[in-house]
Amino acid sequence: MSLLVLAASALLAAPAPAARPADHVFVVMLDGTRPDFLRRARAPVIHRMAIEGTTFLQAETTYPSQTRVAFVSLPTGSHPGSHGIVGGDEIKDASWKNLETGDNDPIAAQVLVARPTFFEEATAAGLTSVYAAMKGYELVGAKGATWTINGKLTLDKTAYAARYAPETGGSQELALWYKESLSRQLLDQTLAIVRERRPNLVVINLGSADYVAHTWGPSSAQYMQTIEFMDGLVGELAAELGRLGMLERTAFVFSADHGFSDVDPTRIIAPAGDATRQPAAEDKRHTLDPLAARGIEHFVTNTGGASMGVYVRDKSRVADAAGLLRREPWVESIYCEPMAAGCDRTLTSLHSYFAGRSPDLMVDLDDDAALNFPQPGQHGTHRLTDMRIPLVFSGAGVARGGLGGKASLVDVAPTVLRLLGLPGVVLQPDGRVLEEALAR
């Protein structure tokens, strides 16, 4: 019996849901936006919505603080230790086989997600949904969505190719314009579906700030300018919903997948494109000199540029690998499972251990180094600058003028379902309904 049939049966057997607080919920993800910068920005639209709604001042994403992980945690309401997308563009399984996590075919990679999504819950209840992904691989978490947009395929090719470029045609201004234009295009493509279909649940990833922060760093003027540009897009979204007669019955969620750290881009660990570091095997991944020198076969994944996952082939050498890396000046923290390795914390305690897939070591780099690429802005670590995210609820069904403290990205899905009046019989979240954000 299919998951949707089971879900429908469960819904029929469940008590009737409460009156629906909102007919539509728009989850607007401001990829890579730090909450402290958003508060300082000239962002009148989001600031007004925050005042009229509820803001959580200590909201955090999941670890590793990376887009690929977070955009599965968001719709599942669960940590990577539950849903199984643990970071990196590839994952090693227990047999040392590469599992591709969505770069080429995110829909095919959905079979790796071990938890249901709020899209599936909405579909089982007869509601419709859209997942608009700027990078494409976010759609690994789109199980059950009625419509999807893969920005990697639909956005302007010239702008997409320049998403990490500091200059285009010798111009920084043009490079910045291209990055900002990607968010405008994705919003336009999403609104085309909204006008025709009036979906109940929309998730859109406006990713421009992420590209800008990687390119020039979060302390750059371009980063703040881009946050303010996206605030203008939110204003256009609200205005269009008003014209469509949807605004009064719409709830908004504003958040991000991760924060950002300023790093030293002149010290690169395992630089990309360095042929001398490529292993002879088919992995074609970068190696770490301290481990290679001791004959420890390993595989490194990039989880944001400031954190790496390290798989060790011979599990009896995990403690050795941890000890060798701990001596490196560019290592800030090491997380792993084996007690003998003496790691800073276990991956289980970070809700990031998924048996058979998780790296043997998660290694956070100090901010004096960057992984693979000479970019001044990186993320992925457990530092607060990377983990803290904005979290604002506003609109229909939301408490006005509220301030909350601790919250997590995994709390968004169950709270969204409550706003849509759904009982939550399909979703199996780790997170909680943020009752303090809901109107009484």
Side-chain angles (χ1 to χ4, degrees):
M1 188 177 293
S2 72
L3 175 60
L4 288 181
V5 171
L6 286 170
S9 299
L11 281 169
L12 288 172
R20 182 173 296 156
D23 291 330
H24 312 276
V25 177
F26 279 70
V27 181
V28 181
M29 297 296 285
L30 309 172
D31 194 316
T33 296
R34 279 176 45 169
D36 52 340
F37 281 80
L38 179 58
R39 286 193 292 270
R40 298 203 304 266
R42 292 187 296 273
V45 178
I46 296 176
H47 290 172
R48 175 179 54 79
M49 288 188 171
I51 292 170
E52 295 174 351
T54 297
T55 301
F56 289 87
L57 298 177
Q58 299 178 55
E60 293 188 359
T61 189
T62 52
Y63 178 80
S65 49
Q66 186 212 25
T67 300
R68 193 181 307 269
V69 175
F71 273 97
V72 179
S73 290
L74 170 69
T76 62
S78 61
H79 296 286
S82 299
H83 62 62
I85 304 302
V86 294
D89 54 358
E90 291 178 317
I91 294 171
K92 284 287 191 185
D93 68 9
S95 63
W96 205 250
K97 175 186 175 183
N98 288 348
L99 302 177
E100 186 176 325
T101 54
D103 276 351
N104 296 317
D105 190 347
I107 305 304
Q110 289 177 2
V111 297
L112 298 176
V113 180
R115 287 289 180 90
T117 71
F118 61 2
F119 297 117
E120 291 175 291
E121 179 107 32
T123 298
L127 304 185
T128 58
S129 56
V130 178
Y131 200 160
M134 177 162 288
K135 301 172 181 178
Y137 56 70
E138 304 100 307
L139 297 180
V140 175
K143 286 193 304 178
T146 314
W147 302 283
T148 60
I149 299 173
N150 184 337
K152 185 177 181 180
L153 304 178
T154 65
L155 298 176
D156 178 78
K157 302 302 181 186
T158 301
Y160 196 81
R163 64 195 185 279
Y164 293 114
E167 291 186 354
T168 301
S171 169
Q172 281 194 6
E173 290 76 13
L174 181 57
L176 176 60
W177 183 84
Y178 275 140
K179 293 169 180 54
E180 292 179 341
S181 71
L182 292 173
S183 288
R184 177 173 293 281
Q185 292 172 41
L186 190 65
L187 177 60
D188 288 344
Q189 292 172 11
T190 303
L191 285 175
I193 297 176
V194 171
R195 293 185 190 101
E196 182 178 357
R197 301 293 186 176
R198 305 296 202 274
N200 303 99
L201 173 59
V202 176
V203 176
I204 180 171
N205 180 24
L206 301 180
S208 299
D210 177 79
Y211 295 139
V212 169
H214 276 299
T215 303
W216 293 295
S219 294
S220 66
Q222 293 95 329
Y223 182 63
M224 187 67 82
Q225 177 180 328
T226 302
I227 293 173
E228 294 169 355
F229 171 82
M230 291 193 298
D231 182 73
L233 294 184
V234 171
E236 294 180 21
L237 168 62
E240 183 63 16
L241 294 180
R243 284 190 288 271
L244 295 171
M246 296 170 58
L247 185 60
E248 186 177 345
R249 294 291 299 157
T250 294
F252 293 92
V253 183
F254 301 102
S255 191
D257 50 345
H258 54 76
F260 252 99
S261 293
D262 289 293
V263 303
D264 183 351
T266 65
R267 185 180 194 181
I268 311 172
I269 307 304
D274 185 349
T276 65
R277 295 175 182 269
Q278 299 287 358
E282 71 278 3
D283 289 338
K284 296 182 180 178
R285 285 298 176 195
H286 307 296
T287 59
L288 300 172
D289 292 341
L291 304 189
R294 295 291 294 271
I296 298 176
E297 185 179 356
H298 61 284
F299 178 88
V300 175
T301 64
N302 186 324
T303 56
S307 180
M308 67 175 80
V310 181
Y311 293 87
V312 178
R313 185 73 175 260
D314 182 352
K315 303 308 178 189
S316 70
R317 304 203 68 184
V318 171
D320 291 341
L324 290 167
L325 292 176
R326 195 173 289 112
R327 301 173 191 170
E328 295 299 312
W330 44 266
V331 170
E332 181 174 284
S333 300
I334 301 178
Y335 308 113
C336 67
E337 289 298 288
M339 296 297 294
C343 291
D344 295 10
R345 289 177 64 178
T346 63
L347 290 170
T348 297
S349 70
L350 297 173
H351 309 291
S352 299
Y353 181 69
F354 191 92
R357 290 188 198 168
S358 286
D360 296 289
L361 305 171
M362 284 297 304
V363 182
D364 286 356
L365 277 61
D366 192 78
D367 61 8
D368 64 353
L371 180 64
N372 296 164
F373 303 102
Q375 296 172 327
Q378 305 281 19
H379 56 86
T381 74
H382 203 252
R383 288 192 293 267
L384 277 182
T385 50
D386 289 355
M387 291 292 293
R388 280 283 166 86
I389 55 174
L391 184 55
V392 174
F393 292 80
S394 190
V398 175
R400 294 178 61 88
L403 283 178
K406 292 184 178 180
S408 171
L409 186 64
V410 302
D411 300 329
V412 171
T415 308
V416 165
L417 291 183
R418 181 68 66 81
L419 285 167
L420 288 172
L422 300 182
V425 297
V426 176
L427 198 71
Q428 302 169 27
D430 296 325
R432 66 182 180 92
V433 175
L434 295 170
E435 300 281 358
E436 57 269 48
L438 305 178
R440 301 299 180 189

